[in-house]
Amino acid sequence: MRTRRTWGVVLALAATIAMVVTMMPLATFGADHLDAPALNPLAGTKRLDADINDLYVFQGADPNATVLAGTFSPAAGALGPSTFGTDVVYQFNLVDAPTGGPSAPFGFKADEAYRAVFDPPDSSGNQPFKLFKAEGSQADGHATASNPLFFSGMTNTIYDLPTGGKFFAGLRSDPFFFDLAGFQGSFGEQNNNRSLGDGNQADFFEDLNVLALVIEIPDDQLPDMDDDGFATWLSTGDLDSGAQLDRIGRPAINTVVNSTGSLINAPSGNKDLFNETHPADDKMFEQAMKDALAILSALDDEGAYNSSIIDSLTSALLPDKTFFNKQQSPFPPFNGRRLEDDVIDVELNILTGGPPFTVLGRDNKGAIETDGVGPHDDYLSVFPYL
């Protein structure tokens, strides 16, 4: 198991990672790893502990509970810190999904929020934490002052929660898998003589660590789990000001739609604006999504998507959140995301001309169907799964 890589390995990776970051100061790092200029260490930020990597939503070992897992601090211990920030609020946001599935309306706010804050580490490197649960109007934003304490403990320990379920916070191996160099070459983020599917694929994240929050919640404590399911997104905020620092719903939405590489060439401020705003505000990114779909689907030999397909996909992908309904079959990134799900392959195929539904005249195969790398071999069958 790669959990908590030995420091010799971590330090050996640090030089390589630093070189990658130096060569592409504003470029993409992963699904959401280091996804915006304001989160880049070369921009002078000290907030890599607030940088979100990925969000996972799935049924775990308990059939009557749902797992939410969030990862933070890219390349923890080598690039990002190996302990949680003491001035950061780490937050799972949940909202009752509307009838009709994953396309929640613009303007929605969270119904519930689980917020974790951390104190400085002790001599062993473990940190005291406090977990808050906010509901109703208290769930909006990142304030903790008026929230009742839900649970407290120490990092790197598995806890049973008083109302059922489990919680873990600590250092784990990064579950994400992706041919980063191939993506950078294909999307014009870096001139590296690489492209996706060129046969030289390598999983950049195979030996890296992350900070992880994992919570297993009984289904009867989730918003409307027995009906239409729920939608969720992950965010981080400044503990003092409450200002939002980063967010993610589905993987790679900000990364791809607001790519500043030569292929899409989005405005440089879009990535930071996306991270600082709420999914309720995602209407402002509709045109950027449509432009990216038109550009990327044109790579397919069947030509670009027509306006009808572009409109349908845009409404399915925005607002940016992960929808989950156990009554429906898993279909990442449109219904949940397990650790082993190859969401990058699914999204690459969709974005480059392979729609996830039957469309007259298209073969449902995009120009780029895979990045050529697959899941890691260290996922656990029991909590905390990473």
Short mmCIF file of all heavy atoms in Angstrom, two decimals, residues 20-61:
data_model
loop_
_atom_site.label_atom_id
_atom_site.label_comp_id
_atom_site.label_asym_id
_atom_site.label_seq_id
_atom_site.Cartn_x
_atom_site.Cartn_y
_atom_site.Cartn_z
N VAL A 20 8.48 20.40 -12.85
CA VAL A 20 7.24 20.46 -13.62
C VAL A 20 6.52 21.78 -13.36
O VAL A 20 6.08 22.47 -14.27
CB VAL A 20 6.33 19.27 -13.28
CG1 VAL A 20 4.95 19.46 -13.90
CG2 VAL A 20 6.95 17.98 -13.77
N VAL A 21 6.40 22.13 -12.07
CA VAL A 21 5.70 23.36 -11.71
C VAL A 21 6.43 24.58 -12.25
O VAL A 21 5.82 25.54 -12.73
CB VAL A 21 5.54 23.46 -10.18
CG1 VAL A 21 4.94 24.79 -9.77
CG2 VAL A 21 4.66 22.33 -9.69
N THR A 22 7.76 24.58 -12.19
CA THR A 22 8.53 25.71 -12.69
C THR A 22 8.35 25.90 -14.18
O THR A 22 8.23 27.02 -14.69
CB THR A 22 10.03 25.50 -12.38
OG1 THR A 22 10.18 25.38 -10.97
CG2 THR A 22 10.85 26.68 -12.88
N MET A 23 8.28 24.80 -14.91
CA MET A 23 8.15 24.87 -16.37
C MET A 23 6.76 25.30 -16.80
O MET A 23 6.58 25.79 -17.90
CB MET A 23 8.49 23.51 -16.98
CG MET A 23 9.94 23.11 -16.84
SD MET A 23 10.25 21.45 -17.48
CE MET A 23 9.87 21.68 -19.22
N MET A 24 5.76 25.13 -15.95
CA MET A 24 4.38 25.45 -16.35
C MET A 24 3.68 26.19 -15.21
O MET A 24 2.76 25.69 -14.60
CB MET A 24 3.61 24.19 -16.70
CG MET A 24 3.68 23.10 -15.64
SD MET A 24 2.39 21.89 -15.85
CE MET A 24 2.47 21.08 -14.27
N PRO A 25 4.12 27.42 -14.92
CA PRO A 25 3.63 28.11 -13.75
C PRO A 25 2.14 28.34 -13.73
O PRO A 25 1.56 28.50 -12.67
CB PRO A 25 4.39 29.44 -13.78
CG PRO A 25 4.86 29.59 -15.18
CD PRO A 25 5.11 28.21 -15.66
N LEU A 26 1.47 28.38 -14.86
CA LEU A 26 0.04 28.60 -14.87
C LEU A 26 -0.70 27.43 -15.49
O LEU A 26 -1.84 27.54 -15.90
CB LEU A 26 -0.29 29.89 -15.65
CG LEU A 26 0.34 31.16 -15.11
CD1 LEU A 26 -0.08 32.36 -15.96
CD2 LEU A 26 -0.01 31.41 -13.66
N ALA A 27 -0.03 26.30 -15.59
CA ALA A 27 -0.62 25.18 -16.32
C ALA A 27 -1.31 24.20 -15.39
O ALA A 27 -1.22 24.27 -14.18
CB ALA A 27 0.46 24.45 -17.12
N THR A 28 -1.97 23.24 -16.00
CA THR A 28 -2.77 22.25 -15.28
C THR A 28 -1.89 21.25 -14.56
O THR A 28 -0.87 20.82 -15.07
CB THR A 28 -3.64 21.50 -16.29
OG1 THR A 28 -4.46 22.45 -16.94
CG2 THR A 28 -4.49 20.47 -15.61
N PHE A 29 -2.30 20.84 -13.36
CA PHE A 29 -1.55 19.84 -12.61
C PHE A 29 -2.29 18.52 -12.57
O PHE A 29 -1.66 17.47 -12.55
CB PHE A 29 -1.29 20.35 -11.20
CG PHE A 29 -0.31 19.53 -10.42
CD1 PHE A 29 1.01 19.43 -10.82
CD2 PHE A 29 -0.70 18.85 -9.29
CE1 PHE A 29 1.90 18.68 -10.10
CE2 PHE A 29 0.21 18.09 -8.55
CZ PHE A 29 1.51 18.01 -8.96
N GLY A 30 -3.60 18.50 -12.53
CA GLY A 30 -4.33 17.24 -12.48
C GLY A 30 -5.81 17.49 -12.60
O GLY A 30 -6.25 18.47 -13.16
N ALA A 31 -6.62 16.57 -12.04
CA ALA A 31 -8.07 16.71 -12.12
C ALA A 31 -8.48 18.08 -11.59
O ALA A 31 -9.21 18.82 -12.22
CB ALA A 31 -8.75 15.63 -11.29
N ASP A 32 -8.00 18.43 -10.43
CA ASP A 32 -8.20 19.77 -9.89
C ASP A 32 -6.96 20.20 -9.13
O ASP A 32 -6.92 21.27 -8.56
CB ASP A 32 -9.43 19.80 -8.98
CG ASP A 32 -9.98 21.21 -8.79
OD1 ASP A 32 -10.51 21.77 -9.75
OD2 ASP A 32 -9.85 21.74 -7.67
N HIS A 33 -5.94 19.35 -9.13
CA HIS A 33 -4.70 19.66 -8.43
C HIS A 33 -4.09 20.93 -9.02
O HIS A 33 -3.88 21.02 -10.23
CB HIS A 33 -3.66 18.54 -8.59
CG HIS A 33 -4.11 17.16 -8.27
ND1 HIS A 33 -5.21 16.56 -8.85
CD2 HIS A 33 -3.58 16.22 -7.44
CE1 HIS A 33 -5.33 15.32 -8.39
NE2 HIS A 33 -4.35 15.10 -7.53
N LEU A 34 -3.79 21.89 -8.20
CA LEU A 34 -3.07 23.09 -8.63
C LEU A 34 -3.70 23.67 -9.89
O LEU A 34 -3.03 23.96 -10.86
CB LEU A 34 -1.60 22.75 -8.87
CG LEU A 34 -0.60 23.89 -8.75
CD1 LEU A 34 -0.51 24.39 -7.33
CD2 LEU A 34 0.76 23.46 -9.25
N ASP A 35 -5.03 23.82 -9.87
CA ASP A 35 -5.75 24.09 -11.11
C ASP A 35 -5.82 25.55 -11.50
O ASP A 35 -6.30 25.87 -12.58
CB ASP A 35 -7.18 23.53 -11.02
CG ASP A 35 -7.99 24.24 -9.94
OD1 ASP A 35 -7.48 24.40 -8.83
OD2 ASP A 35 -9.14 24.63 -10.21
N ALA A 36 -5.39 26.48 -10.63
CA ALA A 36 -5.56 27.89 -10.95
C ALA A 36 -4.32 28.68 -10.54
O ALA A 36 -3.60 28.29 -9.61
CB ALA A 36 -6.80 28.45 -10.25
N PRO A 37 -4.06 29.78 -11.22
CA PRO A 37 -2.85 30.57 -10.92
C PRO A 37 -2.72 30.96 -9.45
O PRO A 37 -1.62 30.93 -8.89
CB PRO A 37 -3.02 31.81 -11.81
CG PRO A 37 -3.82 31.32 -12.97
CD PRO A 37 -4.78 30.30 -12.39
N ALA A 38 -3.82 31.33 -8.80
CA ALA A 38 -3.73 31.78 -7.41
C ALA A 38 -3.30 30.67 -6.46
O ALA A 38 -2.85 30.95 -5.35
CB ALA A 38 -5.09 32.33 -6.95
N LEU A 39 -3.40 29.40 -6.91
CA LEU A 39 -3.01 28.28 -6.07
C LEU A 39 -1.59 27.81 -6.37
O LEU A 39 -1.11 26.86 -5.74
CB LEU A 39 -3.99 27.12 -6.27
CG LEU A 39 -5.43 27.40 -5.86
CD1 LEU A 39 -6.33 26.24 -6.28
CD2 LEU A 39 -5.53 27.64 -4.37
N ASN A 40 -0.94 28.46 -7.34
CA ASN A 40 0.40 28.03 -7.74
C ASN A 40 1.44 28.59 -6.79
O ASN A 40 1.43 29.77 -6.48
CB ASN A 40 0.67 28.51 -9.17
CG ASN A 40 1.91 27.86 -9.76
OD1 ASN A 40 3.01 28.14 -9.33
ND2 ASN A 40 1.71 26.98 -10.72
N PRO A 41 2.37 27.76 -6.31
CA PRO A 41 3.37 28.26 -5.36
C PRO A 41 4.24 29.35 -5.93
O PRO A 41 4.76 30.19 -5.19
CB PRO A 41 4.19 27.01 -5.01
CG PRO A 41 3.91 26.04 -6.09
CD PRO A 41 2.52 26.31 -6.56
N LEU A 42 4.43 29.39 -7.26
CA LEU A 42 5.25 30.44 -7.86
C LEU A 42 4.54 31.79 -7.81
O LEU A 42 5.17 32.82 -8.02
CB LEU A 42 5.60 30.08 -9.31
CG LEU A 42 6.48 28.84 -9.47
CD1 LEU A 42 6.86 28.66 -10.93
CD2 LEU A 42 7.74 28.95 -8.63
N ALA A 43 3.23 31.78 -7.55
CA ALA A 43 2.50 33.04 -7.42
C ALA A 43 2.61 33.60 -6.01
O ALA A 43 2.01 34.62 -5.70
CB ALA A 43 1.04 32.83 -7.79
N GLY A 44 3.37 32.92 -5.15
CA GLY A 44 3.58 33.40 -3.80
C GLY A 44 2.54 32.92 -2.81
O GLY A 44 2.55 33.32 -1.65
N THR A 45 1.63 32.03 -3.24
CA THR A 45 0.59 31.56 -2.34
C THR A 45 1.17 30.64 -1.27
O THR A 45 2.15 29.94 -1.50
CB THR A 45 -0.50 30.80 -3.10
OG1 THR A 45 -1.50 30.38 -2.17
CG2 THR A 45 0.04 29.57 -3.80
N LYS A 46 0.57 30.67 -0.11
CA LYS A 46 0.91 29.73 0.95
C LYS A 46 -0.33 28.90 1.27
O LYS A 46 -0.48 28.40 2.37
CB LYS A 46 1.40 30.48 2.18
CG LYS A 46 2.67 31.29 1.94
CD LYS A 46 3.16 31.94 3.22
CE LYS A 46 4.37 32.83 2.98
NZ LYS A 46 5.51 32.10 2.40
N ARG A 47 -1.21 28.74 0.26
CA ARG A 47 -2.49 28.08 0.50
C ARG A 47 -2.60 26.73 -0.20
O ARG A 47 -3.70 26.29 -0.49
CB ARG A 47 -3.64 28.99 0.04
CG ARG A 47 -3.63 30.39 0.60
CD ARG A 47 -3.46 30.42 2.13
NE ARG A 47 -4.55 29.86 2.86
CZ ARG A 47 -5.56 30.58 3.36
NH1 ARG A 47 -5.61 31.87 3.18
NH2 ARG A 47 -6.52 30.00 4.05
N LEU A 48 -1.50 26.06 -0.47
CA LEU A 48 -1.60 24.75 -1.08
C LEU A 48 -2.31 23.76 -0.17
O LEU A 48 -2.83 22.75 -0.64
CB LEU A 48 -0.22 24.21 -1.47
CG LEU A 48 0.37 24.76 -2.77
CD1 LEU A 48 1.74 24.16 -3.03
CD2 LEU A 48 -0.56 24.48 -3.93
N ASP A 49 -2.34 24.05 1.14
CA ASP A 49 -3.10 23.19 2.03
C ASP A 49 -4.60 23.34 1.80
O ASP A 49 -5.40 22.51 2.23
CB ASP A 49 -2.77 23.48 3.50
CG ASP A 49 -2.77 24.97 3.82
OD1 ASP A 49 -3.27 25.78 3.01
OD2 ASP A 49 -2.25 25.33 4.90
N ALA A 50 -5.01 24.41 1.07
CA ALA A 50 -6.42 24.62 0.73
C ALA A 50 -6.74 24.20 -0.69
O ALA A 50 -7.89 24.31 -1.13
CB ALA A 50 -6.79 26.10 0.92
N ASP A 51 -5.74 23.72 -1.42
CA ASP A 51 -5.93 23.34 -2.82
C ASP A 51 -6.60 21.97 -2.89
O ASP A 51 -6.06 20.98 -2.39
CB ASP A 51 -4.58 23.32 -3.53
CG ASP A 51 -4.71 23.00 -5.01
OD1 ASP A 51 -5.78 23.25 -5.58
OD2 ASP A 51 -3.73 22.49 -5.59
N ILE A 52 -7.77 21.92 -3.52
CA ILE A 52 -8.52 20.67 -3.65
C ILE A 52 -7.98 19.86 -4.82
O ILE A 52 -7.70 20.39 -5.89
CB ILE A 52 -10.01 20.96 -3.87
CG1 ILE A 52 -10.59 21.71 -2.66
CG2 ILE A 52 -10.79 19.67 -4.12
CD1 ILE A 52 -11.99 22.24 -2.90
N ASN A 53 -7.88 18.56 -4.61
CA ASN A 53 -7.48 17.65 -5.68
C ASN A 53 -8.69 16.97 -6.32
O ASN A 53 -8.92 17.10 -7.51
CB ASN A 53 -6.53 16.58 -5.14
CG ASN A 53 -5.25 17.15 -4.60
OD1 ASN A 53 -4.84 18.24 -4.96
ND2 ASN A 53 -4.60 16.40 -3.72
N ASP A 54 -9.46 16.23 -5.52
CA ASP A 54 -10.56 15.44 -6.07
C ASP A 54 -11.67 15.24 -5.05
O ASP A 54 -11.45 15.32 -3.83
CB ASP A 54 -10.07 14.05 -6.52
CG ASP A 54 -9.26 14.11 -7.79
OD1 ASP A 54 -9.87 14.24 -8.88
OD2 ASP A 54 -8.02 14.05 -7.72
N LEU A 55 -12.86 14.93 -5.57
CA LEU A 55 -14.03 14.57 -4.77
C LEU A 55 -14.56 13.23 -5.26
O LEU A 55 -14.71 13.02 -6.47
CB LEU A 55 -15.12 15.64 -4.91
CG LEU A 55 -16.51 15.30 -4.33
CD1 LEU A 55 -16.44 15.13 -2.82
CD2 LEU A 55 -17.52 16.38 -4.71
N TYR A 56 -14.85 12.33 -4.32
CA TYR A 56 -15.40 11.01 -4.63
C TYR A 56 -16.69 10.81 -3.83
O TYR A 56 -16.78 11.20 -2.67
CB TYR A 56 -14.40 9.90 -4.27
CG TYR A 56 -13.06 10.05 -4.95
CD1 TYR A 56 -12.04 10.83 -4.39
CD2 TYR A 56 -12.81 9.43 -6.17
CE1 TYR A 56 -10.82 10.97 -5.02
CE2 TYR A 56 -11.58 9.57 -6.81
CZ TYR A 56 -10.59 10.35 -6.23
OH TYR A 56 -9.38 10.50 -6.86
N VAL A 57 -17.68 10.17 -4.46
CA VAL A 57 -18.96 9.89 -3.82
C VAL A 57 -19.38 8.49 -4.23
O VAL A 57 -19.55 8.22 -5.42
CB VAL A 57 -20.05 10.91 -4.26
CG1 VAL A 57 -21.31 10.70 -3.44
CG2 VAL A 57 -19.54 12.34 -4.12
N PHE A 58 -19.58 7.59 -3.25
CA PHE A 58 -19.87 6.21 -3.61
C PHE A 58 -20.45 5.46 -2.42
O PHE A 58 -20.35 5.91 -1.27
CB PHE A 58 -18.61 5.50 -4.11
CG PHE A 58 -17.44 5.52 -3.15
CD1 PHE A 58 -17.21 4.47 -2.26
CD2 PHE A 58 -16.55 6.59 -3.14
CE1 PHE A 58 -16.14 4.49 -1.38
CE2 PHE A 58 -15.46 6.62 -2.26
CZ PHE A 58 -15.26 5.57 -1.39
N GLN A 59 -21.02 4.30 -2.69
CA GLN A 59 -21.45 3.41 -1.63
C GLN A 59 -20.24 2.61 -1.16
O GLN A 59 -19.53 2.00 -1.96
CB GLN A 59 -22.54 2.45 -2.10
CG GLN A 59 -22.98 1.46 -1.02
CD GLN A 59 -24.02 0.49 -1.51
OE1 GLN A 59 -25.09 0.88 -1.93
NE2 GLN A 59 -23.70 -0.80 -1.46
N GLY A 60 -20.02 2.61 0.14
CA GLY A 60 -18.89 1.87 0.68
C GLY A 60 -19.29 0.48 1.11
O GLY A 60 -20.20 -0.14 0.55
N ALA A 61 -18.60 -0.03 2.14
CA ALA A 61 -18.87 -1.39 2.61
C ALA A 61 -20.24 -1.50 3.27
O ALA A 61 -20.84 -2.58 3.26
CB ALA A 61 -17.77 -1.80 3.60
#
